[in-house]
């Protein structure tokens, strides 16, 4: 049976190299593996998830994980990394100096914001990250350093520019955390929000309404930090940003 599976996978791999049709087939197989791995890792955690179970759910043979991801750890890392890469793409250019503070915050918050449908749990990626926080596998630390930390540092430098700070400091890190946490809560706490304020997040244009308010709240936080620094005599930029 294992020999037949290996032969089948060799044929599949060859198909992936045989023009657009084969490449599309390979991309679909990889996507199915990622989707099912995200679901199963989120439900069971890295240690208890079985590669055989993932492959069966994805309709792939056991050699597929090795071909596309190297091993179980590589598959887990890819599942964690995919939503981060998508978010980073959505954030592209948020720290462009040509943007006003409002424009920059809108781009950041739109990139972070996700609103599951009413009655649905947080999406699979969010559930996977919650599982990783409860049962750390070690995979996330490397991803944080390589893919999240650089974006966070850019955000802190952007906030320094808009608050008149001469350089990033711990207060600006806290401000960046506050801004991102405010948005992430809509991804993680939707069931509580629906229970406490039914209808608030429903209907046409709900996402845009939420985003508009969040940007306003973000502006207030940044302006508060700017005023606080000015009141403490912190060195300001020669020309404070007008937004």
């Amino acid at each position: 049976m294992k020999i037949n599976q290996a032969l089948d996978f060799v044929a599949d791999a060859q198909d992936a190299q045989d023009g657009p049709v084969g490449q599309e087939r390979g991309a679909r197989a990889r996507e199915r593996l990622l989707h099912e791995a995200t679901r199963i890792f989120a439900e069971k955690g890295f240690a208890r998830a079985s590669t055989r179970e993932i492959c069966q759910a994805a309709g792939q043979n056991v050699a597929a994980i090795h071909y596309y991801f190297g091993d179980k750890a590589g598959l887990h890392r890819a599942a964690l990394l995919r939503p981060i890469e998508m978010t980073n793409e959505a954030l592209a250019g948020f720290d462009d100096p040509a943007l006003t503070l409002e424009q920059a915050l809108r781009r950041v918050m739109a990139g972070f914001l996700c609103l599951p449908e009413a009655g649905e749990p947080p999406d699979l990626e969010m559930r996977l990250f919650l599982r990783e926080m409860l049962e750390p596998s070690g995979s996330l630390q490397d991803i944080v350093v390589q893919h999240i930390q650089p974006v966070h540092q850019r955000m802190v430098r952007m906030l320094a520019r808009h608050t008149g700070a001469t350089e990033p400091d711990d207060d600006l890190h806290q401000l960046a955390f506050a801004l991102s946490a405010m948005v992430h809560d809509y991804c993680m706490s939707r069931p509580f929000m629906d229970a406490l304020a039914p209808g608030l997040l429903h209907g046409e244009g709900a996402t845009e309404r939420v985003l508009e308010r969040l940007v306003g709240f973000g502006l207030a936080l940044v302006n508060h930090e700017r005023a606080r620094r000015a009141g403490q005599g912190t060195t300001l930029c020669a020309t404070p940003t007008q937004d």
Side-chain angles (χ1 to χ4, degrees):
M1 180 64 177
K2 291 183 178 179
I3 293 177
N4 289 338
Q5 287 180 329
L7 290 174
D8 288 343
F9 185 73
V10 169
D12 290 345
Q14 185 62 50
D15 285 343
Q17 300 175 6
D18 290 340
V21 174
Q23 291 172 4
E24 183 178 348
R25 179 180 177 184
R28 287 198 304 270
R30 188 180 189 278
E31 181 61 27
R32 287 196 298 271
L33 280 169
L34 268 177
H35 176 78
E36 295 300 336
T38 299
R39 179 180 63 81
I40 293 172
F41 283 137
E43 291 174 354
K44 298 186 173 182
F46 176 75
R48 291 190 296 276
S50 161
T51 55
R52 183 174 298 278
E53 178 183 9
I54 292 170
C55 287
Q56 287 177 344
Q60 302 295 310
N61 61 60
V62 292
I65 289 178
H66 175 74
Y67 179 79
Y68 290 112
F69 304 100
D71 54 17
K72 178 182 175 182
L75 175 59
H76 186 243
R77 186 180 189 280
L80 288 167
L81 182 56
R82 181 171 62 167
I84 293 172
E85 290 179 328
M86 293 173 64
T87 298
N88 287 350
E89 289 178 7
L91 297 178
F94 76 89
D95 55 343
D96 185 340
L99 297 179
T100 66
L101 174 58
E102 181 175 359
Q103 289 169 334
L105 289 178
R106 179 173 293 276
R107 188 165 298 186
V108 167
M109 291 178 166
F112 284 146
L113 185 61
C114 62
L115 289 179
E117 293 298 323
E120 288 187 359
D123 61 31
L124 287 177
E125 287 82 5
M126 185 61 66
R127 290 162 60 192
L128 176 61
F129 278 97
L130 291 173
R131 171 68 69 177
E132 183 66 16
M133 286 187 282
L134 290 171
E135 301 174 3
S137 68
S139 299
L140 191 56
Q141 185 59 39
D142 172 63
I143 291 175
V144 169
V145 171
Q146 292 187 26
H147 299 274
I148 297 179
Q149 184 175 0
V151 176
H152 175 77
Q153 296 291 354
R154 287 168 55 200
M155 186 171 178
V156 171
R157 289 194 295 270
M158 180 271 287
L159 292 172
R161 188 169 68 250
H162 285 288
T163 56
T166 55
E167 60 183 16
D169 56 32
D170 285 345
D171 289 343
L172 291 176
H173 283 286
Q174 184 178 0
L175 178 58
F177 293 145
L179 291 167
S180 58
M182 185 166 57
V183 186
H184 284 315
D185 198 42
Y186 283 82
C187 305
M188 300 176 65
S189 300
R190 176 64 184 266
F192 297 103
M193 293 180 176
D194 282 338
L196 296 171
L200 177 65
L201 306 179
H202 300 276
E204 185 177 354
T207 299
E208 183 57 34
R209 288 196 301 273
V210 168
L211 179 60
E212 188 70 26
R213 297 296 301 280
L214 286 173
V215 171
F217 299 154
L219 286 170
L221 288 176
V222 178
N223 287 332
H224 171 78
E225 180 65 19
R226 181 190 297 153
R228 188 185 71 84
R229 288 171 180 270
Q232 290 179 349
T234 304
T235 302
L236 296 177
C237 298
T239 305
T241 304
Q242 299 295 321
D243 301 295

